[in-house]
Amino acid sequence: MILFYVIDAVAIYAVLKQHPNDSDAAESAARNTVTIPKRMLPLRLALFKQYLSRQNTLKPAVASSTASAFVDTPSATPKPWGPSFSIPSKSGTTTTIDLPVSVPEALPVPKDQATDIEQKVQSNIVLAPQTVDSPVTKPNKPAGGVPLAQPVDARALEQQRKQKGLKPGQWDPNTSLLAHRMKELQGRRAYLKNFWYAAAVSEKVKEGKAHGVELCGEKLVLFRGKDGKVHCLNDVCPHRGAPLSQGWVQEVKGHECVVCPYHGWAFDEEGVLRDVPAADKAEAWPRKKLVDSYAVEEKGGFVWLFYGSNNFPADERPPIPYAPELDDPTWKPVYGEIEFDCNHWSVFENAIDMAHIHYLHSDSFGNQESPQIKGMKTTHNAYGVKASFGLHNKPVNKFWEFSQVPIVNVTAQALLPSTSIISFTLGNGLSFTTFVNTVPINSNRTVNRFALVRNLSIDKTGIFNMGAWDRFARQAMIKILSEDKKMVEQLRPEMLPREISVKADLPQIAFRKLRQEYIDMGYGVSPEASENRYRMPDQ
């Protein structure tokens, strides 16, 4: 056997001498040289495996006091890859991405199964919504609502989680990280049904005029009657599909109606057909509800639309997001809106992201010299998350130095489905509240309908609340949101296999968990199930 290896060495040495000045060529030639030991290698391996097989059949297994497992694993394991998934882009094209499946270490399970969010963030565990491995076969469609893209049996889900000893919102460590991330991203794209959305700023819905809006992919028309009340119908006329929002409002047979601009069909606030001008008097036409209607209320300067089932009892609906400052006569609100060319989730999370203030808004409020978020704490209830913290700001110019304080105490609220309320007080009693409603137009467009509310407690004359300041306040808010827009439209969270969060991100993390619980209960609607879809009145 030794003789074979001597022959092998001599042969390789002879090859190397042929390339004395080219190490790469010598290495390649030596690797490709076929020698006797190389030819015999497969035979030796076969004989060795046969020998091991005989040894295992002849010798009985010996019991051991230590349990062990043997895995036939190659010395260099190739990096595994998971299934691909598609991501729609703003241009309408679809990008297919294959994400690598990382092999995680076993996650420690807390003794009481109730690790709190703050501890998870500090230990650098990536937090994400809860999912389950086994599919739920029983479909779940809320009565009278838009069908869900991924039906979920809430009872079966709850039972599965109880069997695993999991608390609400706690991540199942046995769930595939890739599948977990994909479901998390799908959940973010979803709209929440059976909640109130700010469909318009009240002052934009004029009496006698139709006002078209798009919300969660559905075209709608708002109109205000002579009594001042606002009504909402589906924007598609059932006759030939014309947009009712391009029509007008008039009284027809004692009813406030929106009139179709194409053939003059008139529909009242409930969607009932009240007039067909082209019909002969004796001709029968459907005197019934033909267009779907939506529940609408005005509050705090906004027109709120209940996006959900008409069969949902009014007294069981979630509360309309609200801040008392909006209607307090000692405070002065200014209203506006700005659109974003991206999904609603990134826009909303930016509103409750506090750490970016010092960088995106460094010339208006932020302070990069002292960007720490102090004492972040969060609480929550069934409909929202509340955070309190402190930060250091800096005056924009000499004029604002009167308002400087050592630390600004901030209260931030995130209310379902997507409203943020940020309140803070500066020096000499100068207080502000930003009330921002992030409304999905469709899967790739979003609008922030906002109110900036101000108060100066030392002003006993009311000068600070005069209209002369309104333009300045509105421009300041638009400037801040425009800075957000420029960055948020570039965010690509779908490119990340996971996101790393820190303590300053607690409001976002807590709200993600709360929102996911509602999706698990069947409140989620995928954009594909809602957009460009005509909803019949009986749905």
Side-chain angles (χ1 to χ4, degrees), residues 10-218:
V10 172
I12 293 174
Y13 178 71
V15 172
L16 294 177
K17 286 184 66 178
Q18 296 175 9
H19 306 277
N21 299 318
D22 190 343
S23 59
D24 292 338
E27 179 185 356
S28 177
R31 186 183 301 111
N32 295 326
T33 300
V34 179
T35 61
I36 295 176
K38 286 185 178 180
R39 289 181 178 276
M40 295 184 63
L41 181 60
L43 177 60
R44 294 202 304 272
L45 289 175
L47 292 173
F48 184 66
K49 288 183 178 180
Q50 187 175 3
Y51 171 76
L52 288 180
S53 176
R54 289 182 178 180
Q55 291 291 88
N56 289 338
T57 55
L58 293 175
K59 293 183 179 181
V62 179
S64 171
S65 59
T66 304
S68 61
F70 295 89
V71 181
D72 186 11
T73 307
S75 58
T77 305
K79 192 174 186 179
W81 286 78
S84 62
F85 66 99
S86 298
I87 300 171
S89 66
K90 292 185 292 185
S91 63
T93 60
T94 301
T95 302
T96 301
I97 294 181
D98 296 300
L99 291 181
V101 181
S102 58
V103 182
E105 298 178 359
L107 297 177
V109 180
K111 294 181 180 179
D112 58 355
Q113 291 289 332
T115 303
D116 112 332
I117 298 175
E118 198 165 330
Q119 292 175 336
K120 288 184 178 180
V121 175
Q122 292 172 344
S123 61
N124 204 30
I125 296 177
V126 178
L127 299 173
Q130 177 62 50
T131 58
V132 294
D133 291 327
S134 56
V136 180
T137 56
K138 182 179 178 181
N140 176 27
K141 177 182 176 183
V146 180
L148 304 181
Q150 292 183 338
V152 175
D153 188 325
R155 292 185 177 179
L157 176 65
E158 182 181 4
Q159 186 63 30
Q160 291 174 14
R161 291 179 55 78
K162 282 184 177 180
Q163 291 175 354
K164 295 181 179 181
L166 299 173
K167 300 292 183 180
Q170 185 180 351
W171 177 25
D172 184 351
N174 296 320
T175 302
S176 163
L177 287 179
L178 178 60
H180 175 73
R181 178 61 172 167
M182 290 173 65
K183 290 185 178 181
E184 179 187 32
L185 293 173
Q186 290 172 355
R188 292 186 190 180
R189 294 182 66 242
Y191 310 137
L192 282 188
K193 67 186 274 77
N194 294 329
F195 278 97
W196 294 93
Y197 287 85
V201 175
S202 288
E203 61 190 23
K204 287 197 171 188
V205 184
K206 308 294 185 180
E207 181 181 334
K209 294 184 178 181
H211 181 75
V213 297
E214 185 176 356
L215 189 150
C216 297
E218 295 191 27

Side-chain angles (χ1 to χ4, degrees), residues 97-396:
I97 294 181
D98 296 300
L99 291 181
V101 181
S102 58
V103 182
E105 298 178 359
L107 297 177
V109 180
K111 294 181 180 179
D112 58 355
Q113 291 289 332
T115 303
D116 112 332
I117 298 175
E118 198 165 330
Q119 292 175 336
K120 288 184 178 180
V121 175
Q122 292 172 344
S123 61
N124 204 30
I125 296 177
V126 178
L127 299 173
Q130 177 62 50
T131 58
V132 294
D133 291 327
S134 56
V136 180
T137 56
K138 182 179 178 181
N140 176 27
K141 177 182 176 183
V146 180
L148 304 181
Q150 292 183 338
V152 175
D153 188 325
R155 292 185 177 179
L157 176 65
E158 182 181 4
Q159 186 63 30
Q160 291 174 14
R161 291 179 55 78
K162 282 184 177 180
Q163 291 175 354
K164 295 181 179 181
L166 299 173
K167 300 292 183 180
Q170 185 180 351
W171 177 25
D172 184 351
N174 296 320
T175 302
S176 163
L177 287 179
L178 178 60
H180 175 73
R181 178 61 172 167
M182 290 173 65
K183 290 185 178 181
E184 179 187 32
L185 293 173
Q186 290 172 355
R188 292 186 190 180
R189 294 182 66 242
Y191 310 137
L192 282 188
K193 67 186 274 77
N194 294 329
F195 278 97
W196 294 93
Y197 287 85
V201 175
S202 288
E203 61 190 23
K204 287 197 171 188
V205 184
K206 308 294 185 180
E207 181 181 334
K209 294 184 178 181
H211 181 75
V213 297
E214 185 176 356
L215 189 150
C216 297
E218 295 191 27
K219 302 291 182 66
L220 309 170
V221 57
L222 302 170
F223 62 99
R224 188 185 298 275
K226 291 182 180 179
D227 58 359
K229 292 184 178 180
V230 178
H231 311 286
C232 181
L233 300 177
N234 190 291
D235 192 29
V236 182
C237 179
H239 179 212
R240 291 295 183 266
L244 296 175
S245 58
Q246 294 185 20
W248 58 92
V249 180
Q250 71 181 44
E251 184 175 334
V252 178
K253 300 176 182 178
H255 298 274
E256 293 285 344
C257 295
V258 59
V259 180
C260 177
Y262 196 16
H263 295 94
W265 288 27
F267 302 90
D268 67 14
E269 68 276 6
E270 295 182 356
V272 176
L273 180 61
R274 294 295 179 180
D275 188 26
V276 179
D280 185 88
K281 298 301 181 182
E283 181 183 348
W285 45 271
R287 294 172 172 82
K288 64 178 182 178
K289 183 181 178 74
L290 296 180
V291 180
D292 196 24
S293 61
Y294 293 79
V296 172
E297 291 189 25
E298 283 193 89
K299 190 172 185 179
F302 297 94
V303 176
W304 296 92
L305 180 145
F306 186 72
Y307 177 72
S309 170
N310 291 327
N311 298 325
F312 203 110
D315 58 350
E316 295 181 12
R317 293 170 182 168
I320 295 175
Y322 183 68
E325 299 94 313
L326 293 169
D327 294 316
D328 189 328
T330 64
W331 290 69
K332 183 62 186 294
V334 292
Y335 296 88
E337 57 184 39
I338 181 173
E339 288 193 13
F340 292 71
D341 292 324
C342 59
N343 68 83
H344 72 285
W345 180 253
S346 293
V347 179
F348 174 73
E349 276 211 332
N350 175 79
I352 57 174
D353 180 319
M354 299 300 118
H356 84 275
I357 293 173
H358 300 296
Y359 295 91
L360 284 191
H361 314 305
S362 59
D363 64 342
S364 57
F365 189 82
N367 185 358
Q368 292 187 21
E369 297 175 359
S370 184
Q372 297 81 14
I373 304 296
K374 303 287 188 179
M376 174 67 76
K377 296 180 180 179
T378 61
T379 58
H380 72 277
N381 59 25
Y383 301 113
V385 172
K386 185 175 182 179
S388 59
F389 57 92
L391 54 81
H392 300 283
N393 78 315
K394 63 179 181 182
V396 180

Side-chain angles (χ1 to χ4, degrees), residues 369-437:
E369 297 175 359
S370 184
Q372 297 81 14
I373 304 296
K374 303 287 188 179
M376 174 67 76
K377 296 180 180 179
T378 61
T379 58
H380 72 277
N381 59 25
Y383 301 113
V385 172
K386 185 175 182 179
S388 59
F389 57 92
L391 54 81
H392 300 283
N393 78 315
K394 63 179 181 182
V396 180
N397 50 48
K398 292 288 185 180
F399 175 80
W400 293 101
E401 286 186 354
F402 81 96
S403 66
Q404 190 170 11
V405 290
I407 188 167
V408 181
N409 293 312
V410 182
T411 300
Q413 297 181 69
L415 306 179
L416 291 168
S418 49
T419 294
S420 63
I421 307 173
I422 313 296
S423 303
F424 56 92
T425 298
L426 304 176
N428 287 303
L430 178 61
S431 301
F432 291 96
T433 292
T434 62
F435 187 91
V436 181
N437 305 291

